[in-house]
Amino acid sequence: MASYIGASAEQEDADPILMAFAAEAAKGDPASPEARELVLRWQAHLVKFSRSCDEEKLRRLADLYSWDNRFAEVLDSYGPGTAHFMGEAIEAYWETL
């Protein structure tokens, strides 16, 4: 988490969003309004630090978050199941477009 010395601005920006995703994951509803808001916050974060994140890129990330254990290793450090939940929340958001 970004409370350590030397944390980047990107990590400091990401941590509150990822902690909120972890809290939502514990509730278990990736289609909730709160989860949707977090998806939008995450997309804005990605745009801020990587210059782009359209819906297609976001959907590809959902696949990675859901199925790639390398992402789970990092994202689940915020709470069990965070990575998979993020993938499901993005997919639920995508279905509303």
Side-chain angles (χ1 to χ4, degrees), residues 31-51:
S32 72
E34 295 82 5
R36 179 182 172 86
E37 177 61 30
L38 287 172
V39 169
L40 295 173
R41 284 179 60 196
W42 187 244
Q43 186 177 29
H45 166 79
L46 294 172
V47 168
K48 181 178 179 180
F49 289 96
S50 68
R51 307 283 187 255

Side-chain angles (χ1 to χ4, degrees), residues 21 30-31 35-36 39 55-67 83-97:
F21 264 119
R36 179 182 172 86
V39 169
E55 276 75 18
E56 185 59 33
K57 181 177 180 179
L58 192 63
R59 189 168 194 194
R60 289 183 190 146
L61 287 171
D63 290 339
L64 291 173
Y65 297 157
S66 294
W67 307 113
H84 188 75
F85 181 83
M86 287 177 73
E88 289 180 330
I90 292 168
E91 285 296 329
Y93 164 73
W94 180 263
E95 291 173 7
T96 67
L97 298 179

